[in-house]
Amino acid sequence: MPILFDAEKKVFRLDAGSSSYAFCIDSHGYLFHLYYGAKISDTDLFYLQSSLQMASFCPNPPDNSPFTLDTAFQEYPVNGTGDYRVSALSILGENGSTATSLQYRSHAIQKGKYALEGLPAVYADENEAETLDILMEDPLTGAEVHLLYGVLDNYSAITRAAVIRNGGSTPFVIEKAASAALDFPTMDFDMVHLYGQWAGERQVCRAPLTHDIRTVASKRGSSSHAHNPFAALVSHSATETTGEAYGASLVYSGNFAIEAECDALETTRLVMGVNPIDFAWTLNPGERFTTPEAVLVYSNEGLGGMSRTYHKLYRSHLCRGEWKEKIRPILVNNWEGTYFDFDEQKLLAIAKDAAELGIEMLVMDDGWFGKRNDDRSSLGDWFVNEEKLKGGLKPLVEKVNALGLKFGIWFEPEMISPDSELYREHPDWTLCAPGREPSIARNQYVLDMTRKDVQDYLFDAISAILSSANIAYVKWDFNRNLTEAASAKLPPERRKETFHRYVLGLYSLLDRLTSAYPHVLFEGCSGGGGRFDPAMLCYSPQIWTSDDTDAMERCRIQYGTSFVYPPSSISAHVSAVPNHQTGRVTSFETRGNVAMAGAFGYELDLTKLTAEEKELVKKQVAQYHAYAPLVQGGDFYRLLSPFESENRCAWMSVSPDKSEALVTFIVPRTRVNFNSYLRLAGLDPRKKYLDESAGRVLSGDTLMNAGLNLSRNYCDGESVLIHLKAVQ
Ligand code: GLA
């Protein structure tokens, strides 16, 4: 029973994997948080509630009860009624006030995991999970708030979301509705989060909390390159393998905010959900608003333990469809190979070489539709450019299939070029605040995805292409952020709903398409990894990680991405040198070794490779077939961080039964006479492993404690792959 309710003490205890989470209903109907951390066995935990009495500057409730909400640890703190810290909920009532109050009304414990209307979420069946649904009410506005908790037996993860229903008789406006709030009785934490930019996503930032409010957020309309919807609070001494880590990851692709406030009492409050900036949602009587899901993970095996829980949970209970656990095909994408300059002949030449080298799929990237020969036109015109592809898509796909390759195609559905037939026909479909001119980025506007007619157009246009030929894969791109995001379709007082409605419209379209084409492998993309978030993983089990394909930059980007996202989702390609983004030259081997850590492929013109490089492709293809089950289905351990040293980077994958491992060691920048001992992780200490390259057998305990001795002189950018196989 992962969810316990002690009816006498009125304490809930949620046991998730090796963690426990506890809170209580106090005699005034407040929900007070009691504990989150390593597994515990008591429920009589009321004594943990903060009993600090403050001065007159910390108000007491209206009945003058002898406590103040301003210092209490709460499950879902509200705005304007005595708690001045960051709140989870703020409702603007008909009386013009945002003072909100919630009282416990009832609760239900059910088998299985709740689902969220219109939003992707972790899923689990009745044998794997339980749901706790707590009903709170604001008597004045009639707001009924369902706090949902999902507890999965076998994962140290608790999911949270809130559903707000207007049970009153007059409309109100939700100004803020977080997915989760978490109060800690300490601020002895470092905060870890992932920041970045185009071609430099998910860089790791770790810094101690201080007495302030630290916010990681996006208001770009997508989860964004700039900040990932993730943060972790970790003990100062936490490492990859030891110490406590509390992960918080939001299953959402739009504007989000994760706020961490530390007060003078040295407590920490973490609040996460839809960004309240540029957000307001009118709820009429009887209507409901559902927040996205927050996924909280506890680990006392450091950041590595936290990441492995996210990897397993997201791979098996968030990704959906037939591809989620399947080894991904090796693809060649023509983007960096040809950019817009291709035709059928060129693609077939690449496909022919690909087939000879053992590559399994050709992906035709941007430029196949409308009259698009550069980025200045045709987004929205999802019909084949017959000047490039004479006779259309079908003959091309048939020829590619005849070579033994699958065929994949690129779309950027949410966009519209001012120079497009679609724009000339439907200029009003452009997302723009009435009375303003839309800002332009990469020569394109954004479609108003809140509109059903726009979603229907896209469903039909994309379906027509997907049904016209044997298409096995779709790359779904999104190459700019939202501006002037106020849908003309909505009345002025509802225009702050646009950002969230945009995301709901996107999910609805993706849901329809992935259901209609269950065999198609979808890959997410946004100028590289600008929308690499858990929600997109529900529709696309892999995401293009970055437009930066430089192997050294990729070490950092993929390392950071692995904090939350499973290797199977991290799309990684070998590209040409000098690298198109950085101008750097790294060896073909290293480019392959780095890309081998994810969903592997090539991003170059295969016809331009030398005979020697082609032999290396064949070798990499064979390696991928040998190692992909281990990389995509195994446990991932970060060993040496490229954020801590510019000289060394290492990670490894271990098979679930610990009978096999693959170690990747990279030297981004070399030093002369530099020792390189590498302690491994995750092995069975008692098993003996054969290091195939060295021809040496060592036990797991030796490999994890003494380590490998990889000391020698390396060139900049050199790397080694070490495959270990248990021999007894
Ligand atoms: C984005 C993607 C690239 C490529 C181009 C095409 O930048 O990240 O991989 O598809 O768009 O325009």
Side-chain angles (χ1 to χ4, degrees):
M1 284 284 283
I3 300 178
L4 290 172
F5 179 59
D6 183 329
E8 193 195 329
K9 310 281 183 206
K10 298 211 172 350
V11 170
F12 295 96
R13 201 185 78 220
L14 282 44
D15 291 334
S18 58
S19 66
S20 293
Y21 183 109
F23 56 97
C24 64
I25 311 163
D26 113 297
S27 56
H28 302 80
Y30 297 108
L31 275 195
F32 287 150
H33 181 75
L34 296 170
Y35 174 75
Y36 186 29
K39 199 163 194 164
I40 56 173
S41 38
D42 291 305
T43 50
D44 188 2
L45 300 167
F46 219 95
Y47 75 96
L48 290 169
Q49 183 45 222
S50 166
S51 55
L52 292 173
Q53 291 300 311
M54 300 298 287
S56 59
F57 291 94
C58 296
N60 303 111
D63 66 2
N64 209 16
S65 300
F67 67 88
T68 172
L69 291 178
D70 203 20
T71 60
F73 304 131
Q74 299 181 66
E75 277 304 294
Y76 201 65
V78 294
N79 182 56
T81 46
D83 183 343
Y84 296 100
R85 294 165 290 176
V86 172
S87 57
L89 181 71
S90 181
I91 289 178
L92 176 65
E94 213 206 4
N95 64 357
S97 157
T98 54
T100 309
S101 177
L102 288 181
Q103 303 289 305
Y104 167 87
R105 289 289 177 257
S106 63
H107 73 267
I109 297 173
Q110 288 138 10
K111 288 238 157 285
K113 159 82 177 47
Y114 63 83
L116 297 176
E117 202 180 333
L119 286 160
V122 166
Y123 57 88
D125 68 28
E126 304 217 323
N127 303 315
E128 296 172 306
E130 278 187 355
T131 292
L132 170 61
D133 178 346
I134 298 193
L135 175 61
M136 311 281 289
E137 193 196 18
D138 179 3
L140 183 68
T141 58
E144 296 166 1
V145 178
H146 288 267
L147 297 181
L148 300 175
Y149 297 78
V151 185
L152 285 90
D153 271 339
N154 295 325
Y155 295 84
S156 299
I158 290 172
T159 67
R160 287 191 58 181
V163 176
I164 297 153
R165 181 177 172 276
N166 186 340
S169 53
T170 52
F172 58 72
V173 178
I174 302 170
E175 297 201 328
K176 181 176 187 182
S179 304
L182 206 46
D183 280 346
F184 295 90
T186 172
M187 59 177 277
D188 280 336
F189 289 122
D190 289 348
M191 183 164 166
V192 178
H193 65 99
L194 306 169
Y195 72 97
Q197 57 167 327
W198 174 78
E201 298 88 339
R202 288 168 298 285
Q203 308 288 302
V204 178
C205 176
R206 176 172 178 166
L209 289 180
T210 43
H211 287 96
D212 52 21
I213 302 174
R214 194 167 304 168
T215 306
V216 174
S218 166
K219 41 179 204 158
R220 293 170 176 269
S222 76
S223 44
S224 90
H225 298 85
H227 291 290
N228 201 255
F230 159 79
L233 299 184
V234 306
S235 45
H236 297 307
S237 59
T239 66
E240 275 297 323
T241 48
T242 61
E244 291 194 296
Y246 295 88
S249 159
L250 194 67
V251 187
Y252 192 54
S253 312
N255 290 351
F256 73 91
I258 303 176
E259 300 160 282
E261 177 170 4
C262 297
D263 64 8
L265 281 62
E266 315 235 311
T267 70
T268 305
R269 171 169 292 170
L270 192 70
V271 175
M272 63 191 310
V274 171
N275 195 334
I277 293 177
D278 291 332
F279 170 84
W281 194 280
T282 301
L283 213 58
N284 288 317
E287 287 179 350
R288 280 193 306 259
F289 177 84
T290 303
T291 73
E293 177 161 276
V295 180
L296 309 174
V297 164
Y298 171 78
S299 157
N300 52 11
E301 291 173 3
L303 280 157
M306 175 202 74
S307 297
R308 283 184 290 282
T309 299
Y310 277 124
H311 293 178
K312 283 187 208 154
L313 183 68
Y314 284 179
R315 194 169 60 211
S316 61
H317 288 79
L318 187 64
C319 291
R320 290 182 274 187
E322 56 187 60
W323 278 102
K324 68 174 193 171
E325 310 259 16
K326 268 199 205 159
I327 299 303
R328 308 298 158 68
I330 305 176
L331 61 85
V332 56
N333 177 306
N334 73 309
W335 177 242
E336 287 197 17
T338 68
Y339 293 104
F340 293 102
D341 181 21
F342 65 86
D343 56 14
E344 184 184 282
Q345 261 182 334
K346 237 188 206 179
L347 292 177
L348 285 175
I350 295 175
K352 197 168 149 288
D353 278 10
E356 278 163 15
L357 299 173
I359 292 169
E360 296 158 308
M361 179 155 72
L362 173 78
V363 174
M364 177 174 67
D365 210 277
D366 193 354
W368 58 267
F369 51 91
K371 56 175 177 100
R372 189 158 164 101
N373 293 314
D374 53 39
D375 64 13
R376 286 186 300 234
S377 81
S378 303
L379 292 169
D381 296 346
W382 301 112
F383 44 84
V384 175
N385 177 347
E386 298 229 10
E387 274 177 28
K388 280 183 177 169
L389 307 178
K390 302 209 170 29
L393 213 50
K394 200 162 196 280
L396 168 65
V397 178
E398 280 173 357
K399 285 174 206 155
V400 170
N401 286 168
L403 289 166
L405 258 66
K406 293 175 193 287
F407 184 86
I409 195 166
W410 180 96
F411 285 97
E412 196 181 355
E414 299 152 74
M415 299 294 159
I416 181 167
S417 303
D419 180 7
S420 65
E421 289 185 21
L422 187 68
Y423 186 76
R424 284 183 279 279
E425 208 177 317
H426 293 290
D428 56 313
W429 283 6
T430 306
L431 182 66
C432 192
R436 294 209 178 271
E437 284 289 303
S439 299
I440 194 148
R442 206 196 188 204
N443 307 303
Q444 64 200 53
Y445 298 145
V446 184
L447 281 170
D448 183 350
M449 292 296 293
T450 72
R451 295 174 64 130
K452 182 75 170 58
D453 48 3
V454 169
Q455 295 166 29
D456 289 344
Y457 165 76
L458 291 172
F459 181 81
D460 292 343
I462 295 168
S463 296
I465 293 291
L466 296 186
S467 313
S468 72
N470 183 22
I471 293 171
Y473 159 108
V474 165
K475 179 173 169 188
W476 185 290
D477 212 337
F478 171 83
N479 277 323
R480 62 160 288 181
N481 289 136
L482 275 50
T483 51
E484 296 84 24
S487 174
K489 268 290 216 198
L490 296 168
E493 68 278 10
R494 281 188 171 266
R495 293 215 169 113
K496 282 177 127 185
E497 297 176 15
T498 303
F499 275 114
H500 185 60
R501 285 188 186 274
Y502 181 99
V503 178
L504 295 180
L506 168 66
Y507 293 156
S508 166
L509 176 60
L510 281 165
D511 202 37
R512 283 165 75 187
L513 281 166
T514 49
S515 309
Y517 298 93
H519 306 311
V520 174
L521 168 61
F522 281 74
E523 173 159 332
C525 180
S526 169
R531 201 161 58 183
F532 204 127
D533 60 59
M536 291 310 286
L537 284 186
C538 295
Y539 308 104
S540 53
Q542 64 191 54
I543 299 178
W544 183 227
T545 312
S546 177
D547 274 347
D548 197 333
T549 53
D550 174 281
M552 296 303 100
E553 290 299 297
R554 275 301 186 114
C555 287
R556 293 164 66 92
I557 295 166
Q558 293 176 198
Y559 191 96
T561 304
S562 79
F563 273 63
V564 188
Y565 305 99
S568 55
S569 70
I570 297 178
S571 181
H573 298 170
V574 174
S575 64
V577 290
N579 180 266
H580 293 195
Q581 293 77 37
T582 62
R584 190 184 278 128
V585 176
T586 42
S587 70
F588 208 89
E589 286 89 342
T590 289
R591 282 176 271 154
N593 289 348
V594 173
M596 201 71 65
F600 182 72
Y602 292 86
E603 180 98 10
L604 39 71
D605 184 348
L606 293 170
T607 65
K608 295 192 177 139
L609 294 185
T610 62
E612 194 192 334
E613 286 171 328
K614 285 188 172 166
E615 285 310 307
L616 289 171
V617 173
K618 284 188 195 159
K619 185 176 165 205
Q620 288 169 347
V621 165
Q623 282 177 322
Y624 179 78
H625 287 307
Y627 302 149
L630 183 54
V631 170
Q632 292 177 19
D635 294 329
F636 186 76
Y637 291 83
R638 290 178 295 266
L639 302 177
L640 296 175
S641 169
F643 296 94
E644 284 165 21
S645 157
E646 58 175 7
N647 307 116
R648 303 289 182 260
C649 169
W651 56 71
M652 68 186 285
S653 301
V654 183
S655 63
D657 65 1
K658 298 189 185 293
S659 66
E660 203 184 342
L662 183 70
V663 182
T664 309
F665 174 73
I666 305 138
V667 181
R669 200 181 150 89
T670 194
R671 289 177 62 186
V672 179
N673 293 335
F674 195 61
N675 275 326
S676 294
Y677 290 89
L678 182 66
R679 288 170 145 194
L680 305 188
L683 300 171
D684 181 338
R686 289 170 307 278
K687 277 197 165 83
K688 297 263 187 215
Y689 293 90
L690 168 67
D691 171 348
E692 287 175 343
S693 51
R696 188 180 295 123
V697 173
L698 289 168
S699 56
D701 55 11
T702 305
L703 289 164
M704 291 192 289
N705 293 304
L708 294 168
N709 182 359
L710 301 174
S711 309
R712 65 172 165 86
N713 283 331
Y714 293 92
C715 299
D716 278 358
E718 240 188 296
S719 64
V720 269
L721 276 189
I722 298 144
H723 185 234
L724 300 168
K725 209 159 171 48
V727 287
Q728 64 179 46

